[in-house]
Amino acid sequence: MRGYPFGRWARRLGFGLGLALLGLGATADNQACLSCHATGTHKLEVPDAQGKPRALVTMSPEAYGKGVHAKLECVACHSAIKDQPAPGNGHQKDGAALPKSASCADCHQQLWDQAKQDGSAAAKPRLGLVAENIAAYKQSFHARVSKKDANKVNASCDNCHDTHSFAIPTKGSPEHAQWRSNSAAMCGEKCHSDELEEYAESVHGKAALEKHDSKAAVCSDCHTSHAIGNTSAGSVKLAITASCGNCHAENYQSYKATYHGQISTLGYAYTAKCFDCHGSHGILEAKNPDSKVHPDNRMDTCRNCHNGKKELAEAPKGFASFQPHGHPHDFERYPQMWIGYQIMVQLLVGTFGFFWLHTLLWFYREYKDRQQAKLRPHVKLDALPPDLQGKHFKRFGAIWRLAHITFALSLMILTLTGMPLFYPDAAWAPWVMQALGGPKVAGLIHRVNAVIFAGVFFWHLFYIAVRIWKKRKTFRIFGPDSLVPNLQDGKDMLAMFKWFFGKGPRPVFEHWTYWEKFDYWAPFWGVTIIGVSGLMMWLPNVTGAWLPGWVFNVAAIFHGEEAFLAVVFLFTVHFFNNHFRPDKFPLEIVMFTGTMSLEHYRREHAVEYERLLKSGELHKYVVDAPAAPMSLASKVLGFSLIAVGLTLLAGVAIGFFSGA
């Protein structure tokens, strides 16, 4: 080391100082390095590519001794350094550049690979975590080549970590809290100064930098530590939004219940997310006049997206009072939502409570009757006249059947396209939405079928009005052919429950049973609730121009809960009453063929059969049995619809219980 610019005594002093500070963990090689590179020893400079002096790294031996790398030799990382310093140019020889040393990532990855090979990986979980961080970093925005200097990446390990003194304090300790609060300054002062300036004035920044609140959000809480992505990417936007929920769990859940949140939960980033409304780095309290969500600023915030450009019309005044975090469990803050939800809950409980009990009791009575070998026909009637043998009774015309199948298909498509939004957290929801072509395509399909569904409904009203008008002289509102509930329906229901409990015979019915009348009238309130609420949400700019924003919150409750009621009722109670009853199982095809055998008809509607037989009108409704191909096609169609309905029901059940 001849020609070195200080004497032998100084070098010995450096060795002694380094050994004293590093303790037994330091090696002789490290002491040699510290004799030059210890902080405060002297100024180290070497020529850069242009021949100008470039300062070399120095470090504090004390800080290094407390770091996780304290027991490593310097050359373990600086592997390119193999010789003693040369006069005038450090470790270079004849002006030749040194080969690059091993990077942090390369070194740790090699250690992890070696641990997996020798079977010691399980005993080194921290090393495994480092390997995971390396993999995340390599895919991150920081690992990309810098646009300013193609020879560098945007950020390397040592830009964030001081490799010589690196040591993460124990969680929960004061040192860890200090380390967290310093991380924001580290990101901002080195690279992101504009963001740091904005963050320092935010609620997060003041809590972290001024109050030293260890729970306050810092850069890594939103952007992660190593898997930092380009914030313009949809996946990164969604990840940041989910990160907000780590601290603001209640608000995140209420956000996910809105259309914006449902779309985001399904994996699509084009609707509003937390930072679109609250801001990114400069988030302020809602009561702050400068906050984006302050009442005076909400319309401007909404119009950042709803600005009249592309497919979103300009937001009307009603949008300002929409409750993006409203929920139906807080009457004081959201009374309209609470009341709307209570109405729907009572409707669901009442409907399901009665009809599921009705279904279970029916099963029970059939089971008990079969145990007692009561397999005789329900109604004892004389044998059919010879001319009626093998004949069918015409119950539904072609128009009724066409309306029924259109109604059923459109409802199933509405269920398929709507339930991923209702249950976006369900495992099947993203797959279904992707198969449908995404939310925009699914929304279009949903609205088209909503129009078809409503069209069939209004056509039916017109059809019934015309029929009643034509028969106005003979039509009786409470007559045997009328679907209007009457006193006899109450008597039939009471007789049915007596039979359920073995207190009376199985009742006989007229043209319509009381449960068929319920099936008929239920869509009247269902279509009204679903249709009106759906139309309000379909045309938000019209709705918001005339009504306050909270109506959207209430409309979403009415629409979703009534749809749930309709789907579950149809695919449980309706399927049971018409297909799964023991005397009809596994399928009733009368709604597809329009006819039923006279033997079947006289059991199901014995009162009407007797009435028509006595009046001589029975022959007006007698037709030939449907052809074999017609019966087969009806069975295929019926089983297909039942399979689809039960599949949809299973999806709803999974979504309901997975989100409970």
Side-chain angles (χ1 to χ4, degrees):
M1 298 183 63
R2 295 185 302 273
Y4 213 71
F6 56 88
R8 183 183 300 272
W9 62 269
R11 188 166 65 252
R12 289 176 177 174
L13 179 62
F15 287 161
L17 178 63
L19 182 60
L21 292 174
L22 285 176
L24 298 177
T27 66
D29 287 338
N30 286 0
Q31 296 169 29
C33 296
L34 287 169
S35 66
C36 296
H37 292 277
T39 301
T41 304
H42 57 274
K43 188 175 183 180
L44 290 179
E45 291 182 340
V46 295
D48 61 12
Q50 288 75 35
K52 298 180 180 179
R54 176 176 68 87
L56 291 178
V57 175
T58 59
M59 69 174 189
S60 165
E62 182 179 12
Y64 179 73
K66 295 179 180 179
V68 296
H69 298 136
K71 295 183 179 181
L72 290 178
E73 293 185 354
C74 300
V75 292
C77 296
H78 300 278
S79 55
I81 299 175
K82 303 294 184 182
D83 61 327
Q84 295 291 328
N89 63 352
H91 293 279
Q92 292 173 304
K93 289 185 177 180
D94 302 324
L98 281 171
K100 292 184 178 180
S101 297
S103 68
C104 301
D106 291 338
C107 182
H108 285 90
Q109 188 63 54
Q110 289 173 7
L111 291 172
W112 179 241
D113 291 340
Q114 182 61 43
K116 289 191 292 184
Q117 289 178 7
D118 59 27
S120 62
K124 300 177 180 179
R126 190 169 184 178
L127 184 58
L129 179 60
V130 173
E132 292 177 7
N133 291 339
I134 292 170
Y137 165 77
K138 289 182 177 180
Q139 300 297 320
S140 73
F141 180 75
H142 279 167
R144 297 180 187 178
V145 175
S146 172
K147 293 182 179 180
K148 296 181 180 180
D149 186 349
N151 295 318
K152 297 181 179 179
V153 294
N154 288 321
S156 58
C157 303
D158 52 6
N159 289 131
C160 301
H161 303 291
D162 186 336
T163 52
H164 294 109
S165 61
F166 177 70
I168 299 179
T170 304
K171 284 188 177 181
S173 65
E175 292 78 12
H176 188 272
Q178 183 64 35
W179 175 78
R180 267 182 58 85
S181 62
N182 290 341
S183 64
M186 181 269 295
C187 295
E189 291 173 358
K190 291 187 177 180
C191 301
H192 306 286
S193 56
D194 291 342
E195 287 80 2
L196 176 60
E197 183 177 350
E198 191 176 1
Y199 169 80
E201 297 300 320
S202 72
V203 290
H204 292 153
K206 289 183 177 180
L209 302 178
E210 296 179 10
K211 300 178 182 179
H212 303 291
D213 183 355
S214 61
K215 295 182 179 180
V218 295
C219 308
S220 58
D221 290 319
C222 299
H223 296 279
T224 76
S225 299
H226 298 90
I228 298 170
N230 191 330
T231 53
S232 63
S235 58
V236 176
K237 293 179 180 179
L238 295 176
I240 292 174
T241 303
S243 296
C244 296
N246 292 333
C247 297
H248 307 282
E250 183 176 339
N251 284 338
Y252 183 56
Q253 288 302 317
S254 58
Y255 161 76
K256 289 173 65 176
T258 66
Y259 178 75
H260 292 154
Q262 291 165 340
I263 297 299
S264 296
T265 304
L266 287 168
Y268 300 86
Y270 63 82
T271 57
K273 290 159 288 298
C274 306
F275 50 82
D276 290 313
C277 300
H278 295 275
S280 298
H281 300 98
I283 298 173
L284 303 174
E285 289 183 285
K287 63 183 180 182
N288 189 316
D290 295 327
S291 171
K292 294 181 67 177
V293 294
H294 185 274
D296 295 341
N297 303 326
R298 286 178 187 171
M299 284 308 303
D300 291 335
T301 300
C302 291
R303 285 172 179 160
N304 286 333
C305 298
H306 298 269
N307 51 20
K309 300 176 182 178
K310 297 182 179 180
E311 70 268 23
L312 296 178
E314 184 173 338
K317 60 182 180 180
F319 276 38
S321 58
F322 171 69
Q323 298 294 337
H325 293 294
H327 58 84
H329 308 299
D330 189 338
F331 177 78
E332 292 185 4
R333 296 181 64 187
Y334 313 109
Q336 301 91 349
M337 295 181 69
W338 187 90
I339 293 172
Y341 183 71
Q342 295 304 317
I343 292 173
M344 293 309 302
V345 167
Q346 298 306 316
L347 181 60
L348 265 68
V349 171
T351 302
F352 289 137
F354 177 82
F355 279 100
W356 282 352
L357 176 63
H358 187 274
T359 298
L360 291 173
L361 290 175
W362 199 329
F363 265 121
Y364 169 77
R365 177 44 51 196
E366 290 281 357
Y367 169 74
K368 297 298 289 185
D369 282 358
R370 288 171 183 266
Q371 271 192 328
Q372 299 170 18
K374 293 182 180 180
L375 302 178
R376 59 185 181 276
H378 305 309
V379 182
K380 294 182 178 180
L381 297 172
D382 295 333
L384 291 173
D387 60 329
L388 297 182
Q389 296 290 336
K391 295 294 185 177
H392 274 227
F393 181 86
K394 185 177 181 180
R395 187 160 169 80
F396 300 108
I399 294 178
W400 279 83
R401 285 150 36 212
L402 178 62
H404 176 270
I405 189 64
T406 306
F407 218 54
L409 288 174
S410 59
L411 183 138
M412 288 180 174
I413 295 173
L414 286 168
T415 304
L416 178 66
T417 52
M419 66 183 191
L421 285 181
F422 205 49
Y423 300 114
D425 283 312
W428 49 260
W431 298 94
V432 171
M433 187 57 74
Q434 185 178 13
L436 290 169
K440 293 182 179 179
V441 176
L444 177 62
I445 298 172
H446 192 82
R447 289 187 288 272
V448 167
N449 281 274
V451 171
I452 294 172
F453 190 83
V456 173
F457 177 76
F458 287 113
W459 166 85
H460 172 75
L461 294 180
F462 175 77
Y463 176 78
I464 291 297
V466 170
R467 287 195 62 180
I468 292 175
W469 176 256
K470 288 181 178 180
K471 297 181 178 181
R472 62 187 180 278
K473 294 182 179 180
T474 59
F475 178 75
R476 290 180 294 166
I477 293 179
F478 297 106
D481 294 329
S482 174
L483 278 161
V484 178
N486 55 41
L487 183 60
Q488 184 59 44
D489 294 315
K491 294 179 180 179
D492 290 343
M493 186 186 304
L494 180 60
M496 197 71 167
F497 273 88
K498 286 183 177 179
W499 173 66
F500 288 159
F501 291 102
K503 302 300 182 180
R506 183 168 183 164
V508 292
F509 300 98
E510 247 290 352
H511 188 75
W512 302 110
T513 63
Y514 63 85
W515 63 83
E516 288 174 331
K517 290 184 179 182
F518 184 88
D519 281 356
Y520 176 79
W521 287 104
F524 280 78
W525 87 62
V527 171
T528 301
I529 294 175
I530 294 177
V532 172
S533 60
L535 191 63
M536 291 171 64
M537 293 187 291
W538 184 2
L539 304 173
N541 295 84
V542 176
T543 304
W546 297 96
L547 297 172
W550 57 259
V551 301
F552 293 110
N553 301 96
V554 177
I557 292 173
F558 277 14
H559 195 77
E561 298 301 332
E562 179 59 33
F564 175 84
L565 172 60
V567 170
V568 177
F569 181 88
L570 286 170
F571 299 149
T572 57
V573 178
H574 181 74
F575 273 12
F576 170 80
N577 289 342
N578 293 277
H579 301 292
F580 300 155
R581 285 161 42 186
D583 52 350
K584 288 199 173 195
F585 185 83
L587 178 68
E588 170 65 86
I589 61 174
V590 63
M591 205 65 224
F592 307 118
T593 63
T595 69
M596 59 197 307
S597 71
L598 281 172
E599 181 66 28
H600 185 190
Y601 166 68
R602 74 174 187 172
R603 277 203 315 270
E604 288 289 308
H605 306 280
V607 177
E608 183 185 31
Y609 175 84
E610 287 290 343
R611 176 171 58 82
L612 294 178
L613 187 63
K614 290 178 181 178
S615 66
E617 298 178 90
L618 182 62
H619 286 78
K620 291 167 45 177
Y621 302 96
V622 174
V623 296
D624 292 331
M630 177 66 171
S631 296
L632 177 61
S634 297
K635 290 178 180 178
V636 171
L637 177 59
F639 280 123
S640 299
L641 291 176
I642 289 175
V644 172
L646 294 180
T647 301
L648 293 173
L649 179 64
V652 170
I654 293 171
F656 179 83
F657 288 108
S658 63

